[in-house]
Every structure is written in structure tokens, then in C-alpha cells.
Amino acid sequence: MQTKIIKLDPNNIDNTALCEAAAIIREGGLVAFPTETVYGLGADALHSEASKKIYAAKGRPSDNPLIVHISSYKDLLSIAKEVPPEAKKLADAFWPGPLTMIVWKNDNVPPETTGGMDTVAVRMPNHPIALRLIAESGCLIAAPSANTSGKPSPTEASHVALDMNGRIPMILDGGPVGIGIESTIIDLTEAKPMILRPGYITKDMLEAVLEKEVEIDPGILASEAACTHPLEAACTHPPGDITGPEASGLKPKAPGMRYKHYAPKADLVLVDGEAGDVVAKINELVQKKQETGQKIGVIATDETKSLYQSDYVVSIGARQDEDAIARHLYKILREFDDLNVDAIYSESFSTPRMGQAIMNRLLKAAGHQVIHV
Ligand code: AMP
Ligand code: MG
């Protein structure tokens, strides 16, 4: 299959191209498109055959449900069995935006879209191309991240092309995304709202709107805690598809959070501690590896970049600029794939607001290997 890549200006969307993309969705085909978080791989969410194509193109396990993207609040009413009052409050505050809500589904949503679950994940993305594509197609669009399963989520159309060329008919290139990590997921089907995946919208922001406590999935917390004990050597969980949380016996509630995600080709190890100690430790580790003939990459910050001696040193941004760190993370992991490095060492980024979301992704990419100094 020939993949058509169409450049679109988000502020001046070409109507002919958009209509062509919308027609593909209506006919049950796949279109990759930008959202404000990462690029999505979209198909008609209410048609099982269309949804199934997403799993096939990504190589995604069929029990990992898709997020349904909508362009107006009434779309939520058309697929939810019941809409809890929290959903309205959160939609008013954060939609369109990087928040996915889990609600009970009705029969309009086929089991293929929800990985067989009785609940459905719904989000209204804050990107003009995504919103226009949904509205023009007249469909609700199921869209996971547009990467091959297990690869970092795409933050530019070129990343999508690398993974999806020849597998899908069309990619809409709206330039680099703004946020760079996937949406926050909040489950509204239990007595207490619970965050199943941390993201740009934080627990504090959600609690401020709901005026009540929001919990964080214990499975997510377990995966953070799994590596916080001080160790000189890397704390390594057994290799395989399931990492971190499984080891503690606590399964994350979102099926997708149980898989090893975002894995770069090279072995990635995080080094956590005071800045000076981290730099010294990484330089020591790099030197040891280089002595065995390996090529090494380092993920640094603007402040520390010049302090490393390694084959490749990339700055993820200024340490104070959390938005830049989130936006650059996946791109850097992909760049190191292209450079064919043997190992990557990264500083850790427990920044005040998005630190939990950033570290959640980075820990997964590292297979939970952390050295504490
Ligand atoms: P992606 O679109 O690639 O970011 O993946 C969607 C994420 O949402 C995965 O982690 C899914 O497991 C999660 N998800 C989607 N639907 C549900 C649901 N009904 N219940 C819990 N998690 C869900
Ligand atoms: Mg994904």
C-alpha cells in the first residue's frame, strides 16, 4: 500500500486534503493525524472491522483498548451508558485537551474498540486538524498512538512514516506536537475517580475541578516505588513484556500500562541523585562501556550537556522547562535508535508538575533500570 503524506497548516487547513482524509475514515480506512499530545492512528471507532485494522497496523495486542476521540460533548453521550457528573465538570474544564475519561460504554461501541471491556476511554483532542477530521468524517475516531507497538509514541509525522509507511493509506503532517506525552487517563467508573496514566493534567488540577480526592492507580505507584531504593548497581526487573508493577503483584488498571512500552533499541539506564553526582556516575559508566568498544548516548539537560564525555550527548531541554523535557523525550529516544548506540544513560527528571508523567514514560523505556547515587 502506498502511504500518502499530506502536509497541513493547522492554522489554515486545506479543505480538499482534509475531505480526502475524512473519506478514508468513513470508508473504514486508517489515517494518522496530529493531536496536541502525540500523533494518533485513527479509524471509525464504531465499526469493528475499522478498529481491527488499527491493531493489525500497530501490531497491538487485541486486549489493549483504544481511546475514542470526539469533537463535541454530545459525542460522549452517544457512546456512554451513563455520564457521571464528574465527566461534565472535567469536560468543561479540560476539553478539548489532554484528558481521557473512562466511562461505562453502551452498545454503540463494538468490543473490538474497547479490547472487550465494558468501559470506553474518551477524549476530545485540542488540535485543529484532529477536531476537523473527526467532525468532517462524521465518525468518532478510535486512535491509539501512531507508532508500532513497543516503540516510542510519535511526536512528528516523520516518526509515523517510519513505523507506518506502506501499512496505512494516509498520514496528515501537521508539524511537531505541542505536549509530547500521552493524555492523562482518569477512570470515572468507580466510587472514587482514579488516575490510570499520569500526563499533562495532574492530580492537583483534577482535584481542584472536582473538589474531591482523586486517587492514583496503585499499580502505577508500585511501578515508581519499584526502583526507589538506594542501590549502587542497576535495579533490573526481569526482561519480558511485563515490567515493574507486575513484579510487585499490583497490575495497573489500564491494560496498556502493563506492557513494556517506549523501548529504545539500546539498553537505557536512568541515573538519579544530585546533579554533580549524576554527571560523575554517568561519565564513569560511559568510560567503562567505551573501553569495551561500545557506542554510548547520554540524555542530558542544557545545564549539564557540556559536562559529559560520551559518543553522543543530547540535551532534552533546560531542567526548569518541564514542557520542553516532555516534548523532546520520545524524539530523543528515536534519535538514539537511528544512531545505533549500544547503551543510553539518562538523568532523571522528577520535575514539580509533570515529573510523574515524564518519569512514568522514562522508567518504562528503561525497563525500570535505575541507579541511585
Ligand atoms: P494509547 O492510545 O496508545 O495512548 O493507548 C491508550 C491507553 O488507554 C492504553 O494504556 C489503554 O490500556 C488505555 N485504555 C483505553 N481504554 C481503556 C479502558 N476502557 N479502561 C482502561 N484503560 C483504557
Ligand atoms: Mg500508545
Side-chain angles (χ1 to χ4, degrees):
M1 179 188 294
Q2 185 91 18
T3 302
K4 207 165 166 180
I5 303 177
I6 301 182
K7 262 198 178 346
L8 285 181
D9 176 355
N11 300 313
N12 184 19
I13 300 169
D14 177 66
N15 217 27
T16 312
L18 192 95
C19 288
E20 199 183 328
I24 293 176
I25 297 283
R26 258 196 313 274
E27 287 155 19
L30 302 182
V31 175
F33 59 95
T35 78
E36 81 279 33
T37 57
V38 300
Y39 272 75
L41 180 59
D44 183 346
L46 303 189
H47 280 95
S48 52
E49 291 308 315
S51 275
K52 275 196 212 162
K53 288 184 188 166
I54 294 179
Y55 291 92
K58 279 179 62 84
R60 182 177 176 103
S62 61
D63 64 352
N64 188 3
L66 310 174
I67 294 173
V68 177
H69 290 70
I70 62 175
S71 61
S72 83
Y73 185 75
K74 68 176 181 351
D75 295 339
L76 171 66
L77 309 179
S78 74
I79 53 175
K81 196 171 192 176
E82 58 202 64
V83 177
E86 290 91 351
K88 176 81 174 80
K89 284 189 190 170
L90 293 175
D92 285 344
F94 298 116
W95 277 359
L99 180 69
T100 296
M101 297 187 223
I102 310 281
V103 295
W104 293 107
K105 79 172 192 74
N106 67 22
D107 290 343
N108 291 336
V109 189
E112 284 77 6
T113 297
T114 63
M117 297 180 81
D118 294 333
T119 55
V120 62
V122 191
R123 174 167 109 83
M124 191 191 293
N126 186 16
H127 194 293
I129 295 176
L131 289 171
R132 279 281 304 279
L133 179 65
I134 300 164
E136 182 67 38
S137 68
C139 301
L140 311 192
I141 299 188
S145 51
N147 52 288
T148 304
S149 229
K151 293 261 271 172
S153 294
T155 55
E156 296 179 5
S158 64
H159 303 161
V160 182
L162 273 172
D163 287 9
M164 293 297 151
N165 224 343
R167 294 173 157 263
I168 62 173
M170 186 176 283
I171 298 170
L172 298 178
D173 177 355
V177 300
I179 292 179
I181 55 175
E182 306 82 351
S183 58
T184 304
I185 301 179
I186 187 165
D187 183 0
L188 300 177
T189 64
E190 305 278 350
K192 287 186 181 168
M194 184 185 282
I195 294 173
L196 305 189
R197 176 170 74 184
Y200 183 89
I201 309 275
T202 61
K203 175 174 150 78
D204 289 349
M205 291 159 81
L206 294 162
E207 286 178 341
V209 169
L210 293 177
E211 296 173 312
K212 66 169 161 180
E213 200 199 339
V214 171
E215 300 191 324
I216 299 179
D217 180 357
I220 299 295
L221 295 176
S223 78
E224 290 170 11
C227 292
T228 50
H229 49 99
L231 269 186
E232 185 57 26
C235 133
T236 315
H237 289 278
D241 274 346
I242 311 280
T243 62
E246 291 296 278
S248 66
L250 280 171
K251 270 190 183 181
K253 227 184 142 195
M257 299 300 277
R258 295 175 203 153
Y259 293 98
K260 179 171 176 177
H261 263 195
Y262 325 123
K265 287 185 208 155
D267 198 36
L268 169 64
V269 176
L270 312 186
V271 181
D272 185 39
E274 291 296 321
D277 299 337
V278 168
V279 171
K281 186 71 188 175
I282 289 181
N283 277 330
E284 179 196 319
L285 291 163
V286 169
Q287 199 188 345
K288 267 194 206 147
K289 289 268 186 195
Q290 283 177 329
E291 281 164 12
T292 65
Q294 298 194 39
K295 257 200 317 183
I296 312 300
V298 172
I299 302 179
T301 55
D302 289 355
E303 293 83 352
T304 56
K305 185 172 191 276
S306 64
L307 304 175
Y308 290 106
Q309 294 94 44
S310 187
D311 300 280
Y312 301 101
V313 183
V314 179
S315 172
I316 197 166
R319 186 157 276 279
Q320 300 309 320
D321 188 353
E322 302 190 50
D323 292 347
I325 294 173
R327 197 164 58 239
H328 296 146
L329 176 62
Y330 289 143
K331 181 185 166 78
I332 289 178
L333 294 179
R334 282 182 176 261
E335 276 168 13
F336 279 134
D337 277 354
D338 294 343
L339 290 168
N340 280 315
V341 293
D342 299 295
I344 306 167
Y345 294 105
S346 176
E347 297 180 9
S348 75
F349 305 100
S350 300
T351 54
R353 187 171 46 82
M354 265 209 287
Q356 190 176 33
I358 294 166
M359 287 307 289
N360 173 273
R361 305 328 190 258
L362 207 49
L363 277 166
K364 279 190 173 191
H368 294 262
Q369 299 185 89
V370 187
I371 297 175
H372 300 271
V373 290

